[in-house]
Structures are given as C-alpha cells and as structure tokens.
Amino acid sequence: MEKLVSSWFEVELLPEPYVFPPEKRPGKVSFPLGKSIPVLDLGSSNDQNETIQQIMKASEEFGFFQVINHGVSKDLIDDTMNVAREFHAMPAQDKVNECSKDPNEEYMQFWPAKPTKYREGLKLRTSYFSSGLNESPTIIINHYPPCPDPTLTLGIPKHRDPTVITILLQGDVHGLQVFKDSEWIGVEPLPHAFVVNIGYVLQIVSNGKLKGADHRVMTNSSHARTTLSVFVHPSSETIIEPAKSLLNASNPPIYRALKFKDFQNEFLSKAADAEALHQFISSTTD
C-alpha cells in the first residue's frame, strides 16, 4: 500500500521496482499531434439518431471517443477533481489509513473521512445504477506523481478494460495514449470533457462489433496527473455473452457465455497474454 502513495517527486532517480524491462519501456516520450480520437459534441444536434450513429462509428473504429457539452456542470467537474487532488496532497500516512477502508458503495461509512467532500458530494442511492450489466460501477482515482525518467516506466502499461464502458475525467495533463493502426495516439486533455472507452465486456456483448482498444498511461517529469474513472461492469454472477438479437446464421457467436467473475479472474491472470485470454473467452474449442 505504501507504494501506492509514495512521492516520486522527492527522489532524483526512478526506484528500481518501477523500471520496466527494456522491451516494455515507452522509450521516447511524445504526444504527437495530428491523429486523435473522435470528439463528439453532444449539444450540437437535436437529432438523437445522429448522435447514436456518431457514437457507434467512433466505438467501431477507435473504441475510444471524447464527449463535450454533455450536460455535467463545469463547477461539479472542477469540485470533484479538486477533492481528488486534495486527497493526494495529504500526508502519506493519512492516505494509507484511508486506503485501508472498504470503498464499496454499499458501505458509505467506510468511505474516506478526508477530504470530507468525498462523502458529501456523491449523494447517490446504492441502487442508483440499474441491475444487470451495469450493476456494479466502480469509481477509481489515479494519481501519477512527476517521474524522474518517463522513458523507463509507464503509469499504466498497455491493456484493455474489463468493463462494459469506462468513463474518464482526465484533467488537464497529457498522459493517456490509445493504440490505433500500429501507433500510439495521444488523447488531448480537453477542458471538462469525458473520455469514453469500450470495455472487453461490451466487446463480448456486441459479438465483436464494438472492440475495446489497447491503451496506456505515460508519465512525465514536470507535472503530477490526477484522473477519475468510472468503471461500469456487471455483478459477479451476471452472465456475459453475445446479445442473442445480434446473432444469426451469418453472424454466429464468437464468444462463449460465462459469469463475469470467471471472466474477471481470467482477465487478471492473463491480461498480459491477449491470445490466451482470447482463447478462454472464445466460443470455439480445438
């Protein structure tokens, strides 16, 4: 736990446990301009079908997109991010104490007591999200301190999310990159925008029509980066499988049905081996 709340900016050299093997290091740190993931303006059209088509196109081609003019107030977004940053500015021992508590939504009494706005701000019933595929949302705040040598490590290595979708508030510091057409694309931090990415569960439900994209998080030597993610995923016992309405003779299921807990366990054990995970969830057997 102490590693999670360590302060890299207090050291001049990257601690050895954080140094990636040479073949997995990011090398040159850059956020090239030009290519970018789609940005959808949810307030630009009154045609809901057009908006849906834009979302589908972005989900099929990239697995990632940003949304602006989404209706969430800028003040709420700023206040939420300020609380997250306030937490990570606390002394290390205070963070260790708070991180030892159960973060489950059903146990609000165990949510962090510091900062106080953690408990005051959400004001959601435990049943706010409907049952089924989105029954168990998780809120995760990540903090990436300035890194002495960003060429040697990553904030989060290449992966896909084991979710239905992930909604990210990434703040104003570069870091997120999406793998597309054999290259890494930097996701520009847009003020008060949300980044949405397709998770592995939705890839299964859509029978591969929508695909989760590989992504990673870079570090940098000058700025701390704090992000807030909402992971929307099923409860442990929920069966995940291709939606039957999408299947026919010309589009047979390419994934088998399984409980989310079994998928999650396999994902955690095989996340670094994409081919092994694919074999596990595939509907075909050799």
Side-chain angles (χ1 to χ4, degrees):
M1 181 60 68
E2 290 181 357
K3 289 183 179 179
L4 297 179
V5 295
S6 63
S7 297
W8 286 354
F9 57 83
E10 295 177 354
V11 298
E12 295 182 358
L13 297 176
L14 184 65
E16 189 63 30
Y18 295 102
V19 176
F20 277 46
E23 69 277 8
K24 294 184 178 181
R25 295 174 187 172
K28 181 181 179 182
V29 178
S30 63
F31 296 91
L33 300 176
K35 287 190 176 182
S36 63
I37 66 172
V39 178
L40 308 184
D41 186 344
L42 300 187
S44 65
S45 173
N46 293 322
D47 188 340
Q48 187 178 35
N49 289 329
E50 180 183 351
T51 300
I52 291 173
Q53 290 303 313
Q54 291 176 349
I55 292 173
M56 289 297 296
K57 186 174 187 293
S59 299
E60 291 176 13
E61 294 183 0
F62 284 82
F64 263 84
F65 55 91
Q66 295 200 69
V67 293
I68 59 175
N69 293 325
H70 38 63
V72 181
S73 76
K74 295 179 180 180
D75 287 345
L76 177 58
I77 291 174
D78 290 340
D79 288 347
T80 301
M81 194 57 98
N82 287 338
V83 171
R85 290 174 178 142
E86 183 181 347
F87 174 83
H88 286 286
M90 295 193 312
Q93 189 56 51
D94 284 351
K95 287 185 284 187
V96 170
N97 293 340
E98 297 297 348
C99 288
S100 66
K101 300 176 181 179
D102 189 334
N104 193 300
E105 287 187 13
E106 297 179 4
Y107 301 98
M108 290 288 289
Q109 68 270 29
F110 297 123
W111 277 41
K114 301 177 182 178
T116 56
K117 287 186 179 179
Y118 257 134
R119 298 188 187 183
E120 297 172 357
L122 192 59
K123 297 180 180 177
L124 292 179
R125 303 184 308 275
T126 58
S127 60
Y128 178 82
F129 294 94
S130 59
S131 61
L133 288 174
N134 59 349
E135 188 173 49
S136 300
T138 302
I139 299 174
I140 294 180
I141 297 173
N142 286 321
H143 182 72
Y144 310 91
C147 177
D149 192 344
T151 67
L152 299 179
T153 191
L154 287 164
I156 299 179
K158 176 181 175 181
H159 70 288
R160 297 186 186 186
D161 291 348
T163 62
V164 179
I165 62 170
T166 301
I167 302 172
L168 170 71
L169 178 60
Q170 71 164 339
D172 54 3
V173 179
H174 280 279
L176 178 62
Q177 293 185 327
V178 176
F179 197 65
K180 170 70 172 172
D181 298 331
S182 301
E183 65 177 321
W184 288 103
I185 301 173
V187 179
E188 181 183 358
L190 300 178
H192 302 104
F194 290 112
V195 178
V196 180
N197 74 278
I198 303 303
Y200 230 127
V201 174
L202 188 52
Q203 179 175 321
I204 293 172
V205 171
S206 69
N207 203 38
K209 181 178 178 63
L210 308 180
K211 292 182 172 61
D214 291 323
H215 53 288
R216 68 183 185 181
V217 176
M218 305 289 284
T219 62
N220 66 73
S221 59
S222 55
H223 299 288
R225 182 172 182 265
T226 300
T227 64
L228 188 150
S229 301
V230 177
F231 290 167
V232 180
H233 51 70
S235 61
S236 297
E237 298 298 322
T238 297
I239 300 296
I240 57 174
E241 61 183 333
K244 291 180 173 56
S245 60
L246 300 177
L247 305 178
N248 52 48
S250 60
N251 185 36
I254 60 177
Y255 303 109
R256 64 186 181 91
L258 69 165
K259 289 184 177 180
F260 177 68
K261 66 179 181 181
D262 296 328
F263 164 77
Q264 192 172 40
N265 289 338
E266 201 69 16
F267 179 89
L268 293 174
S269 65
K270 291 187 170 66
D273 188 343
E275 182 59 32
L277 180 63
H278 175 76
Q279 290 296 324
F280 177 77
I281 62 177
S282 174
S283 66
T284 59
T285 56
D286 296 328

mmCIF file of all heavy atoms in Angstrom, residues 115-146:
data_model
loop_
_atom_site.group_PDB
_atom_site.id
_atom_site.type_symbol
_atom_site.label_atom_id
_atom_site.label_comp_id
_atom_site.label_asym_id
_atom_site.label_seq_id
_atom_site.Cartn_x
_atom_site.Cartn_y
_atom_site.Cartn_z
ATOM 1 N N PRO A 115 -10.680 13.863 2.165
ATOM 2 C CA PRO A 115 -11.383 15.106 2.464
ATOM 3 C C PRO A 115 -12.864 14.843 2.728
ATOM 4 O O PRO A 115 -13.428 13.895 2.211
ATOM 5 C CB PRO A 115 -11.179 15.948 1.190
ATOM 6 C CG PRO A 115 -10.066 15.297 0.452
ATOM 7 C CD PRO A 115 -10.147 13.843 0.796
ATOM 8 N N THR A 116 -13.495 15.708 3.479
ATOM 9 C CA THR A 116 -14.884 15.499 3.882
ATOM 10 C C THR A 116 -15.833 15.477 2.694
ATOM 11 O O THR A 116 -16.889 14.850 2.742
ATOM 12 C CB THR A 116 -15.335 16.595 4.860
ATOM 13 O OG1 THR A 116 -15.133 17.885 4.243
ATOM 14 C CG2 THR A 116 -14.539 16.529 6.152
ATOM 15 N N LYS A 117 -15.481 16.132 1.589
ATOM 16 C CA LYS A 117 -16.384 16.202 0.441
ATOM 17 C C LYS A 117 -16.526 14.867 -0.276
ATOM 18 O O LYS A 117 -17.398 14.699 -1.122
ATOM 19 C CB LYS A 117 -15.903 17.280 -0.540
ATOM 20 C CG LYS A 117 -16.133 18.704 -0.032
ATOM 21 C CD LYS A 117 -15.792 19.727 -1.091
ATOM 22 C CE LYS A 117 -16.055 21.143 -0.585
ATOM 23 N NZ LYS A 117 -15.717 22.170 -1.596
ATOM 24 N N TYR A 118 -15.660 13.882 0.024
ATOM 25 C CA TYR A 118 -15.819 12.563 -0.572
ATOM 26 C C TYR A 118 -17.220 12.025 -0.296
ATOM 27 O O TYR A 118 -17.884 11.484 -1.164
ATOM 28 C CB TYR A 118 -14.799 11.579 0.018
ATOM 29 C CG TYR A 118 -13.639 11.289 -0.885
ATOM 30 C CD1 TYR A 118 -12.342 11.306 -0.390
ATOM 31 C CD2 TYR A 118 -13.824 10.971 -2.226
ATOM 32 C CE1 TYR A 118 -11.264 11.021 -1.209
ATOM 33 C CE2 TYR A 118 -12.740 10.687 -3.049
ATOM 34 C CZ TYR A 118 -11.469 10.714 -2.533
ATOM 35 O OH TYR A 118 -10.401 10.441 -3.335
ATOM 36 N N ARG A 119 -17.667 12.154 0.947
ATOM 37 C CA ARG A 119 -18.971 11.613 1.311
ATOM 38 C C ARG A 119 -20.105 12.586 0.996
ATOM 39 O O ARG A 119 -21.218 12.182 0.714
ATOM 40 C CB ARG A 119 -19.004 11.267 2.803
ATOM 41 C CG ARG A 119 -17.999 10.196 3.188
ATOM 42 C CD ARG A 119 -18.212 9.752 4.611
ATOM 43 N NE ARG A 119 -17.164 8.857 5.064
ATOM 44 C CZ ARG A 119 -17.143 8.275 6.261
ATOM 45 N NH1 ARG A 119 -18.116 8.510 7.118
ATOM 46 N NH2 ARG A 119 -16.159 7.469 6.610
ATOM 47 N N GLU A 120 -19.814 13.878 1.042
ATOM 48 C CA GLU A 120 -20.864 14.874 0.858
ATOM 49 C C GLU A 120 -21.262 15.042 -0.606
ATOM 50 O O GLU A 120 -22.394 15.366 -0.918
ATOM 51 C CB GLU A 120 -20.387 16.232 1.391
ATOM 52 C CG GLU A 120 -20.105 16.249 2.887
ATOM 53 C CD GLU A 120 -19.451 17.539 3.317
ATOM 54 O OE1 GLU A 120 -19.182 18.384 2.428
ATOM 55 O OE2 GLU A 120 -19.180 17.709 4.514
ATOM 56 N N GLY A 121 -20.340 14.786 -1.526
ATOM 57 C CA GLY A 121 -20.566 15.182 -2.907
ATOM 58 C C GLY A 121 -21.394 14.245 -3.744
ATOM 59 O O GLY A 121 -22.106 14.679 -4.650
ATOM 60 N N LEU A 122 -21.307 12.930 -3.496
ATOM 61 C CA LEU A 122 -21.939 11.997 -4.410
ATOM 62 C C LEU A 122 -23.460 12.004 -4.282
ATOM 63 O O LEU A 122 -24.191 12.167 -5.251
ATOM 64 C CB LEU A 122 -21.397 10.580 -4.164
ATOM 65 C CG LEU A 122 -21.758 9.542 -5.228
ATOM 66 C CD1 LEU A 122 -21.246 9.970 -6.585
ATOM 67 C CD2 LEU A 122 -21.189 8.191 -4.840
ATOM 68 N N LYS A 123 -23.976 11.776 -3.086
ATOM 69 C CA LYS A 123 -25.415 11.832 -2.798
ATOM 70 C C LYS A 123 -26.230 10.924 -3.725
ATOM 71 O O LYS A 123 -27.284 11.299 -4.244
ATOM 72 C CB LYS A 123 -25.940 13.275 -2.909
ATOM 73 C CG LYS A 123 -25.316 14.213 -1.883
ATOM 74 C CD LYS A 123 -25.851 15.619 -2.016
ATOM 75 C CE LYS A 123 -25.218 16.555 -0.994
ATOM 76 N NZ LYS A 123 -25.666 17.945 -1.128
ATOM 77 N N LEU A 124 -25.739 9.707 -3.946
ATOM 78 C CA LEU A 124 -26.440 8.742 -4.769
ATOM 79 C C LEU A 124 -26.935 7.588 -3.918
ATOM 80 O O LEU A 124 -26.268 7.168 -2.975
ATOM 81 C CB LEU A 124 -25.520 8.176 -5.859
ATOM 82 C CG LEU A 124 -25.067 9.130 -6.952
ATOM 83 C CD1 LEU A 124 -24.149 8.394 -7.917
ATOM 84 C CD2 LEU A 124 -26.259 9.688 -7.708
ATOM 85 N N ARG A 125 -28.110 7.067 -4.258
ATOM 86 C CA ARG A 125 -28.581 5.852 -3.614
ATOM 87 C C ARG A 125 -27.712 4.691 -4.073
ATOM 88 O O ARG A 125 -27.161 4.706 -5.181
ATOM 89 C CB ARG A 125 -30.039 5.576 -4.006
ATOM 90 C CG ARG A 125 -31.002 6.702 -3.684
ATOM 91 C CD ARG A 125 -32.424 6.283 -4.017
ATOM 92 N NE ARG A 125 -32.526 5.772 -5.385
ATOM 93 C CZ ARG A 125 -32.688 6.534 -6.460
ATOM 94 N NH1 ARG A 125 -32.735 7.853 -6.318
ATOM 95 N NH2 ARG A 125 -32.812 6.006 -7.663
ATOM 96 N N THR A 126 -27.609 3.647 -3.254
ATOM 97 C CA THR A 126 -26.826 2.481 -3.666
ATOM 98 C C THR A 126 -27.462 1.790 -4.861
ATOM 99 O O THR A 126 -26.801 1.044 -5.581
ATOM 100 C CB THR A 126 -26.698 1.476 -2.514
ATOM 101 O OG1 THR A 126 -28.025 1.088 -2.098
ATOM 102 C CG2 THR A 126 -25.958 2.075 -1.347
ATOM 103 N N SER A 127 -28.747 2.033 -5.093
ATOM 104 C CA SER A 127 -29.445 1.416 -6.223
ATOM 105 C C SER A 127 -29.562 2.365 -7.409
ATOM 106 O O SER A 127 -30.385 2.142 -8.305
ATOM 107 C CB SER A 127 -30.853 0.986 -5.790
ATOM 108 O OG SER A 127 -31.598 2.119 -5.350
ATOM 109 N N TYR A 128 -28.731 3.419 -7.432
ATOM 110 C CA TYR A 128 -28.839 4.432 -8.486
ATOM 111 C C TYR A 128 -28.690 3.812 -9.871
ATOM 112 O O TYR A 128 -29.412 4.122 -10.803
ATOM 113 C CB TYR A 128 -27.785 5.512 -8.272
ATOM 114 C CG TYR A 128 -27.783 6.582 -9.335
ATOM 115 C CD1 TYR A 128 -28.678 7.645 -9.275
ATOM 116 C CD2 TYR A 128 -26.896 6.537 -10.394
ATOM 117 C CE1 TYR A 128 -28.688 8.636 -10.236
ATOM 118 C CE2 TYR A 128 -26.898 7.519 -11.368
ATOM 119 C CZ TYR A 128 -27.790 8.564 -11.286
ATOM 120 O OH TYR A 128 -27.784 9.544 -12.248
ATOM 121 N N PHE A 129 -27.712 2.915 -10.026
ATOM 122 C CA PHE A 129 -27.498 2.263 -11.308
ATOM 123 C C PHE A 129 -28.363 1.006 -11.378
ATOM 124 O O PHE A 129 -28.449 0.256 -10.428
ATOM 125 C CB PHE A 129 -26.023 1.897 -11.489
ATOM 126 C CG PHE A 129 -25.126 3.091 -11.582
ATOM 127 C CD1 PHE A 129 -24.504 3.585 -10.448
ATOM 128 C CD2 PHE A 129 -24.919 3.726 -12.793
ATOM 129 C CE1 PHE A 129 -23.682 4.695 -10.516
ATOM 130 C CE2 PHE A 129 -24.092 4.837 -12.871
ATOM 131 C CZ PHE A 129 -23.484 5.320 -11.730
ATOM 132 N N SER A 130 -28.985 0.784 -12.527
ATOM 133 C CA SER A 130 -29.877 -0.353 -12.677
ATOM 134 C C SER A 130 -29.103 -1.656 -12.665
ATOM 135 O O SER A 130 -27.889 -1.682 -12.829
ATOM 136 C CB SER A 130 -30.665 -0.232 -13.992
ATOM 137 O OG SER A 130 -29.792 -0.172 -15.104
ATOM 138 N N SER A 131 -29.829 -2.767 -12.484
ATOM 139 C CA SER A 131 -29.191 -4.076 -12.351
ATOM 140 C C SER A 131 -28.732 -4.596 -13.708
ATOM 141 O O SER A 131 -29.010 -4.025 -14.757
ATOM 142 C CB SER A 131 -30.162 -5.060 -11.716
ATOM 143 O OG SER A 131 -31.302 -5.207 -12.547
ATOM 144 N N GLY A 132 -28.046 -5.745 -13.672
ATOM 145 C CA GLY A 132 -27.585 -6.380 -14.894
ATOM 146 C C GLY A 132 -26.158 -6.026 -15.223
ATOM 147 O O GLY A 132 -25.276 -6.041 -14.365
ATOM 148 N N LEU A 133 -25.940 -5.657 -16.467
ATOM 149 C CA LEU A 133 -24.572 -5.429 -16.934
ATOM 150 C C LEU A 133 -23.903 -4.227 -16.288
ATOM 151 O O LEU A 133 -22.684 -4.115 -16.300
ATOM 152 C CB LEU A 133 -24.553 -5.260 -18.456
ATOM 153 C CG LEU A 133 -24.788 -6.537 -19.262
ATOM 154 C CD1 LEU A 133 -24.896 -6.209 -20.734
ATOM 155 C CD2 LEU A 133 -23.669 -7.537 -19.029
ATOM 156 N N ASN A 134 -24.681 -3.290 -15.771
ATOM 157 C CA ASN A 134 -24.073 -2.114 -15.138
ATOM 158 C C ASN A 134 -24.406 -2.062 -13.650
ATOM 159 O O ASN A 134 -24.533 -0.994 -13.063
ATOM 160 C CB ASN A 134 -24.519 -0.829 -15.843
ATOM 161 C CG ASN A 134 -26.034 -0.646 -15.815
ATOM 162 O OD1 ASN A 134 -26.775 -1.557 -15.459
ATOM 163 N ND2 ASN A 134 -26.475 0.527 -16.208
ATOM 164 N N GLU A 135 -24.505 -3.242 -13.035
ATOM 165 C CA GLU A 135 -24.946 -3.304 -11.650
ATOM 166 C C GLU A 135 -23.862 -2.887 -10.665
ATOM 167 O O GLU A 135 -24.158 -2.446 -9.557
ATOM 168 C CB GLU A 135 -25.401 -4.729 -11.319
ATOM 169 C CG GLU A 135 -26.067 -4.866 -9.960
ATOM 170 C CD GLU A 135 -26.651 -6.247 -9.758
ATOM 171 O OE1 GLU A 135 -25.920 -7.220 -10.016
ATOM 172 O OE2 GLU A 135 -27.813 -6.357 -9.361
ATOM 173 N N SER A 136 -22.603 -3.008 -11.042
ATOM 174 C CA SER A 136 -21.518 -2.784 -10.082
ATOM 175 C C SER A 136 -20.513 -1.766 -10.588
ATOM 176 O O SER A 136 -19.390 -2.120 -10.969
ATOM 177 C CB SER A 136 -20.809 -4.116 -9.780
ATOM 178 O OG SER A 136 -21.700 -5.047 -9.227
ATOM 179 N N PRO A 137 -20.889 -0.473 -10.628
ATOM 180 C CA PRO A 137 -19.918 0.544 -11.050
ATOM 181 C C PRO A 137 -18.854 0.776 -9.979
ATOM 182 O O PRO A 137 -19.108 0.588 -8.790
ATOM 183 C CB PRO A 137 -20.789 1.795 -11.235
ATOM 184 C CG PRO A 137 -21.922 1.592 -10.277
ATOM 185 C CD PRO A 137 -22.189 0.116 -10.261
ATOM 186 N N THR A 138 -17.674 1.132 -10.416
ATOM 187 C CA THR A 138 -16.568 1.400 -9.503
ATOM 188 C C THR A 138 -15.950 2.746 -9.858
ATOM 189 O O THR A 138 -15.719 3.034 -11.034
ATOM 190 C CB THR A 138 -15.487 0.305 -9.608
ATOM 191 O OG1 THR A 138 -16.075 -0.972 -9.331
ATOM 192 C CG2 THR A 138 -14.356 0.559 -8.617
ATOM 193 N N ILE A 139 -15.703 3.566 -8.860
ATOM 194 C CA ILE A 139 -15.027 4.843 -9.068
ATOM 195 C C ILE A 139 -13.575 4.708 -8.618
ATOM 196 O O ILE A 139 -13.301 4.297 -7.485
ATOM 197 C CB ILE A 139 -15.718 5.969 -8.285
ATOM 198 C CG1 ILE A 139 -17.169 6.138 -8.755
ATOM 199 C CG2 ILE A 139 -14.963 7.290 -8.458
ATOM 200 C CD1 ILE A 139 -17.965 7.130 -7.932
ATOM 201 N N ILE A 140 -12.661 5.013 -9.514
ATOM 202 C CA ILE A 140 -11.236 4.898 -9.214
ATOM 203 C C ILE A 140 -10.545 6.221 -9.511
ATOM 204 O O ILE A 140 -10.736 6.797 -10.592
ATOM 205 C CB ILE A 140 -10.580 3.771 -10.036
ATOM 206 C CG1 ILE A 140 -11.146 2.409 -9.602
ATOM 207 C CG2 ILE A 140 -9.062 3.788 -9.868
ATOM 208 C CD1 ILE A 140 -10.552 1.241 -10.354
ATOM 209 N N ILE A 141 -9.773 6.693 -8.549
ATOM 210 C CA ILE A 141 -8.964 7.895 -8.744
ATOM 211 C C ILE A 141 -7.499 7.482 -8.816
ATOM 212 O O ILE A 141 -6.987 6.832 -7.899
ATOM 213 C CB ILE A 141 -9.175 8.902 -7.608
ATOM 214 C CG1 ILE A 141 -10.638 9.384 -7.606
ATOM 215 C CG2 ILE A 141 -8.234 10.096 -7.753
ATOM 216 C CD1 ILE A 141 -10.990 10.253 -6.425
ATOM 217 N N ASN A 142 -6.853 7.812 -9.916
ATOM 218 C CA ASN A 142 -5.430 7.523 -10.091
ATOM 219 C C ASN A 142 -4.621 8.807 -9.996
ATOM 220 O O ASN A 142 -5.050 9.857 -10.496
ATOM 221 C CB ASN A 142 -5.166 6.859 -11.445
ATOM 222 C CG ASN A 142 -5.612 5.405 -11.484
ATOM 223 O OD1 ASN A 142 -5.449 4.674 -10.510
ATOM 224 N ND2 ASN A 142 -6.183 4.987 -12.602
ATOM 225 N N HIS A 143 -3.470 8.695 -9.365
ATOM 226 C CA HIS A 143 -2.581 9.846 -9.243
ATOM 227 C C HIS A 143 -1.189 9.431 -9.687
ATOM 228 O O HIS A 143 -0.646 8.435 -9.214
ATOM 229 C CB HIS A 143 -2.534 10.337 -7.793
ATOM 230 C CG HIS A 143 -1.681 11.551 -7.601
ATOM 231 N ND1 HIS A 143 -2.053 12.809 -8.035
ATOM 232 C CD2 HIS A 143 -0.456 11.698 -7.020
ATOM 233 C CE1 HIS A 143 -1.097 13.678 -7.734
ATOM 234 N NE2 HIS A 143 -0.124 13.028 -7.119
ATOM 235 N N TYR A 144 -0.631 10.193 -10.620
ATOM 236 C CA TYR A 144 0.689 9.910 -11.167
ATOM 237 C C TYR A 144 1.619 11.064 -10.809
ATOM 238 O O TYR A 144 1.545 12.133 -11.423
ATOM 239 C CB TYR A 144 0.623 9.751 -12.686
ATOM 240 C CG TYR A 144 -0.448 8.792 -13.154
ATOM 241 C CD1 TYR A 144 -1.737 9.257 -13.459
ATOM 242 C CD2 TYR A 144 -0.194 7.427 -13.302
ATOM 243 C CE1 TYR A 144 -2.727 8.387 -13.886
ATOM 244 C CE2 TYR A 144 -1.174 6.550 -13.728
ATOM 245 C CZ TYR A 144 -2.441 7.035 -14.015
ATOM 246 O OH TYR A 144 -3.430 6.177 -14.441
ATOM 247 N N PRO A 145 2.495 10.889 -9.803
ATOM 248 C CA PRO A 145 3.429 11.960 -9.444
ATOM 249 C C PRO A 145 4.421 12.202 -10.580
ATOM 250 O O PRO A 145 4.594 11.355 -11.460
ATOM 251 C CB PRO A 145 4.143 11.392 -8.197
ATOM 252 C CG PRO A 145 3.298 10.256 -7.733
ATOM 253 C CD PRO A 145 2.634 9.705 -8.947
ATOM 254 N N PRO A 146 5.091 13.345 -10.591
ATOM 255 C CA PRO A 146 6.153 13.561 -11.570
ATOM 256 C C PRO A 146 7.178 12.436 -11.488
ATOM 257 O O PRO A 146 7.533 11.982 -10.405
ATOM 258 C CB PRO A 146 6.753 14.905 -11.147
ATOM 259 C CG PRO A 146 5.641 15.601 -10.435
ATOM 260 C CD PRO A 146 4.889 14.508 -9.713
#
